[in-house]
Amino acid sequence: MAPPLKRKPTWLGNVRFCALALFLAGFVVVICSRFIVLDSSAALPPIRLALSELGINGGKNRVGVGEELAVRVRKEGDGLGKSPGEFIEDEVTAANRSQPLIPGSRLSTVAAVREFESRFDCLASKGQWVFDPTPRFLPWAEELKIGYSSCDNWWITDAQTNISGQNYGSGAAKLRNIAYDDADGVARRRGAKAVWQVRPSVKYRWELPNQKGGDGSGEREGEVGGLEECGGREWWGEVDCERLKAGLVPSGGKIMIVGDSLNLEVFAAFKNLMSMCQKKCFFEMRTKWRKKSQQQRQRRAQQQQQQQQQQQQQQQQPQQLQGQENHQQQQEVKLQEDHQQPQQQQETPEQQQMRRQLQQQQELAERFKQECPGVEILGQESCAEHRKIPEISWQCREMRYGNTTVLYIRNDILNTSDEHFVDVSRYISTPWMRTLKKVRNISVLLLNRGAHYEENEVFIPGLNATLHEVREAAPNALVIYRSTPGGHPNCTRAINDPYKEPPDSSSFPYHWGDFHEQNEISKHLVRGIGGVFMDVERITVLRPDGHMNPPKDCLHYCLPGPLDTWVSMFCHMVTQLL
């Protein structure tokens, strides 16, 4: 039997085969790339995928760069020579490169945003409270009668009766002067070994591993690179008073704080910081003036010594020359008497010294006014509408230090209603959106939803709607949202050491244990509109001491206290972003 004939492949069959192969290969590539994008987006921090993850607003991100960021992250082993999670800048479009990813900031690349958020996440998660007894300037509360200084009032009483186990002196007036007026300056002048006679709770610093305190206790063994990993001194340290005076917002824009009574306390801490900067400026100027005065006294002493030497040399000259000089002097005196010229009375050395000191003090006072400005209370324009209504007239405040202006409006639930509501037992709601739209140069907003708990079904849509309305009203403003920390049940006056780790808050009252979950939700929502999330939860829950009115009020803190660290973090964030 003859073998079957084999059909020769035609060019048409080859084309069909190649087309089928290309189709199958393309299908495989599409499926694989889909999985790669999903996998790489999971490796991202939740910065721009917030709304899609929460199922809010149809998964849309109004910044317009949300879902695309996942595509620009390469997966490990992609063969392109890029490390895992590294952003490919050449894939970022020109439009996204020219527009900041955080509106109102100078961060225009994904890598810059990623670095900024990781630095401050590191700062909040890896720091610890470290006891530092080194005398330093503190932002003291300006008035003793207000609640923020209640800790100092009862600490003075306890010290006076020796309850705390240490005798700081006798007499409330003396202790008040030590604690408020001159504690910082006296202790600094006496040296590092001096007893800094202030309440112990203000001697703690928020510091990072390998960042030493005044006694060296800031370094903890077994942890390496904490400070460098979190950005170093460039990202954390004392607030720069010169930057605050020159303008925390370089363009001269205003800072608007909206939120609950804790944000009001942030406003008060800001004011105390500004007053401390003025005091610090005064001390520095006075130190320079004293140094300059000492140098002038030394020069005058040298001049007097030279004059005495010249007089001694003149006394050693021949008597004949002295006689001629005496005769010449008598002639001059006679001529003055003939013309009846009034003889000017010469100043004594003591009078000359007093006159010079008075001139120096006048010059110092004039320079002090120019270089060390005080805190100005404003509000004539920004708070004009609120002051017409007695119930909310005190819920709007404004102040200025140098070129830094801070405005505060209280709204506990951060709603956008134009109607005010005041019920101290529930919450206080003051209109603020009109002010945001009306007042010019509001460049930075610090917002918070407050410790007034609502279920997630109410909390999430409400906060989401407010944030998007803020972004529409101020598209170019820098929006910073502060997290909400819980309180400490049964807090007391006792001087407790800070916790090393956050306590178990599952059984805490007032839903304090539920704040952590809502803080995480807030982080997604805030970053979803291009805002910045300022995490102060862990920093605060580690401090059971220093509450304002224990055991009745275990949520608010005295000033100075942990909330000063909030202001420091805010100032450093603004400095890095603007």
Side-chain angles (χ1 to χ4, degrees):
M1 184 175 178
L5 296 176
K6 295 183 178 179
R7 296 181 62 182
K8 294 183 179 180
T10 63
W11 65 272
L12 183 61
N14 290 336
V15 169
R16 288 176 178 175
F17 177 79
C18 292
L20 179 62
L22 289 173
F23 174 76
L24 293 175
F27 180 76
V28 171
V29 169
V30 170
I31 296 298
C32 293
S33 63
R34 176 66 177 171
F35 281 105
I36 289 175
V37 171
L38 290 176
D39 188 23
S40 62
S41 65
L44 276 172
I47 50 177
R48 309 290 179 218
L49 306 181
L51 301 181
S52 59
E53 292 178 359
L54 294 173
I56 298 174
N57 197 32
K60 296 180 180 179
N61 188 325
R62 299 197 180 192
V63 177
V65 294
E67 300 292 345
E68 298 175 0
L69 292 188
V71 183
R72 301 181 194 127
V73 181
R74 293 302 184 187
K75 186 180 177 182
E76 184 176 8
D78 60 2
L80 298 178
K82 300 292 182 179
S83 60
E86 184 175 352
F87 290 93
I88 311 302
E89 291 297 334
D90 55 4
E91 292 188 5
V92 181
T93 62
N96 283 337
R97 239 190 344 256
S98 61
Q99 297 295 328
L101 298 181
I102 298 179
S105 74
R106 55 183 172 85
L107 304 185
S108 58
T109 63
V110 179
V113 174
R114 188 184 182 94
E115 180 188 14
F116 171 82
E117 292 176 341
S118 64
R119 295 296 192 190
F120 281 96
D121 287 344
C122 174
L123 174 66
S125 62
K126 294 193 175 183
Q128 291 287 348
W129 289 104
V130 177
F131 186 77
D132 183 3
T134 306
R136 56 188 179 275
F137 286 101
L138 291 176
W140 292 106
E142 293 186 347
E143 299 179 11
L144 298 178
K145 295 181 180 180
I146 60 177
Y148 300 141
S149 60
S150 59
C151 294
D152 298 289
N153 290 332
W154 58 253
W155 176 79
I156 289 171
T157 305
D158 291 350
Q160 187 177 3
T161 55
N162 206 23
I163 293 177
S164 61
Q166 296 179 347
N167 186 8
Y168 289 94
S170 60
K174 180 179 179 181
L175 287 171
R176 286 178 189 274
N177 292 333
I178 291 176
Y180 290 90
D181 298 335
D182 214 15
D184 305 335
V186 169
R188 286 167 64 87
R189 288 195 294 270
R190 291 176 180 173
K193 295 182 179 180
V195 178
W196 195 20
Q197 301 190 39
V198 294
R199 55 184 166 91
S201 59
V202 303
K203 298 181 181 181
Y204 286 94
R205 286 180 182 267
W206 182 256
E207 296 188 354
L208 296 162
N210 300 333
Q211 180 177 345
K212 294 184 179 181
D215 59 349
S217 60
E219 183 174 2
R220 298 192 299 279
E221 297 180 359
E223 300 185 32
V224 181
L227 179 61
E228 291 75 13
E229 180 183 351
C230 297
R233 293 290 182 183
E234 181 183 354
W235 292 78
W236 186 244
E238 294 184 358
V239 177
D240 186 0
C241 288
E242 290 298 323
R243 172 67 185 269
L244 192 65
K245 181 175 64 176
L248 194 60
V249 181
S251 60
K254 294 183 179 181
I255 299 170
M256 185 177 185
I257 302 176
V258 184
D260 65 340
S261 55
L262 281 174
N263 263 12
L264 172 60
E265 199 167 347
V266 171
F267 179 83
F270 239 120
K271 182 180 180 182
N272 296 339
L273 173 64
M274 294 172 176
S275 299
M276 184 204 73
C277 286
Q278 183 191 27
K279 179 181 177 182
K280 188 176 181 181
C281 176
F282 173 74
F283 271 101
E284 291 175 353
M285 284 190 59
R286 192 171 69 175
T287 301
K288 293 179 181 178
W289 176 73
R290 287 177 174 175
K291 184 177 181 180
K292 182 179 179 180
S293 299
Q294 184 178 3
Q295 293 175 352
Q296 290 177 350
R297 286 195 298 269
Q298 290 176 354
R299 285 197 298 267
R300 285 197 298 269
Q302 293 176 356
Q303 292 175 358
Q304 290 178 359
Q305 186 176 3
Q306 291 176 359
Q307 289 177 0
Q308 291 176 358
Q309 291 177 356
Q310 291 177 359
Q311 290 177 0
Q312 291 177 359
Q313 292 176 0
Q314 290 177 359
Q315 290 177 358
Q316 293 175 0
Q317 290 179 354
Q319 295 290 333
Q320 188 176 10
L321 293 176
Q322 290 183 1
Q324 293 177 358
E325 290 178 357
N326 292 335
H327 179 71
Q328 187 176 1
Q329 290 176 359
Q330 290 175 3
Q331 295 254 343
E332 291 176 356
V333 171
K334 187 175 181 182
L335 287 173
Q336 290 177 359
E337 292 178 352
D338 292 341
H339 292 86
Q340 296 181 354
Q341 294 178 352
Q343 186 176 6
Q344 296 181 355
Q345 185 177 2
Q346 295 183 354
E347 293 182 340
T348 61
E350 292 79 8
Q351 291 174 340
Q352 293 178 357
Q353 184 177 1
M354 289 179 61
R355 179 172 52 81
R356 284 193 295 265
Q357 289 180 353
L358 181 60
Q359 291 177 352
Q360 291 174 353
Q361 291 176 359
Q362 291 175 348
E363 293 176 0
L364 181 65
E366 193 65 28
R367 289 184 56 192
F368 174 73
K369 291 180 181 179
Q370 297 176 357
E371 300 184 17
C372 305
V375 180
E376 300 180 62
I377 305 300
L378 307 175
Q380 293 83 0
E381 176 185 356
S382 304
C383 300
E385 295 184 6
H386 301 84
R387 291 183 176 179
K388 295 177 183 178
I389 306 173
E391 292 181 333
I392 61 173
S393 60
W394 58 283
Q395 304 294 352
C396 181
R397 309 181 184 188
E398 188 178 14
M399 63 183 175
R400 179 172 59 207
Y401 173 74
N403 293 323
T404 298
T405 304
V406 183
L407 169 66
Y408 167 79
I409 298 178
R410 179 167 179 175
N411 192 301
D412 293 343
I413 59 176
L414 204 64
N415 62 16
T416 57
S417 174
D418 290 335
E419 301 295 330
H420 69 274
F421 178 83
V422 178
D423 186 351
V424 179
S425 62
R426 296 175 60 191
Y427 63 87
I428 296 176
S429 171
T430 306
W432 60 282
M433 285 300 298
R434 286 202 305 263
T435 306
L436 176 61
K437 298 174 183 178
K438 180 180 178 181
V439 177
R440 296 175 300 174
N441 297 331
I442 294 181
S443 304
V444 182
L445 287 97
L446 176 61
L447 309 176
N448 176 258
R449 177 62 174 72
H452 301 263
Y453 180 80
E454 290 180 334
E455 297 294 336
N456 288 342
E457 292 77 9
V458 179
F459 171 80
I460 295 175
L463 179 58
N464 182 60
T466 297
L467 291 174
H468 282 92
E469 190 169 343
V470 168
R471 181 52 71 207
E472 290 179 357
N476 297 320
L478 173 62
V479 179
I480 301 177
Y481 185 90
R482 173 184 63 79
S483 63
T484 302
H488 301 87
N490 304 318
C491 65
T492 64
R493 287 186 180 183
I495 303 174
N496 300 320
D497 293 332
Y499 297 138
K500 295 298 182 181
E501 296 295 335
D504 181 10
S505 59
S506 58
S507 61
F508 282 9
Y510 309 113
H511 291 278
W512 287 344
D514 298 325
F515 287 170
H516 178 71
E517 178 187 4
Q518 292 194 345
N519 285 333
E520 291 299 316
I521 294 173
S522 302
K523 181 191 297 184
H524 289 284
L525 296 176
V526 172
R527 291 178 174 177
I529 57 106
V532 177
F533 185 77
M534 190 175 84
D535 189 5
V536 297
E537 181 184 5
R538 182 175 178 272
I539 292 175
T540 315
V541 298
L542 295 180
R543 291 297 300 271
D545 62 320
H547 283 288
M548 189 179 296
N549 188 19
K552 296 179 181 180
D553 186 350
C554 295
L555 180 66
H556 299 85
Y557 283 90
C558 291
L559 296 176
L563 269 64
D564 294 307
T565 305
W566 297 9
V567 176
S568 297
M569 181 179 289
F570 174 79
C571 292
H572 283 88
M573 277 187 165
V574 173
T575 302
Q576 293 295 331
L577 289 169
L578 300 181

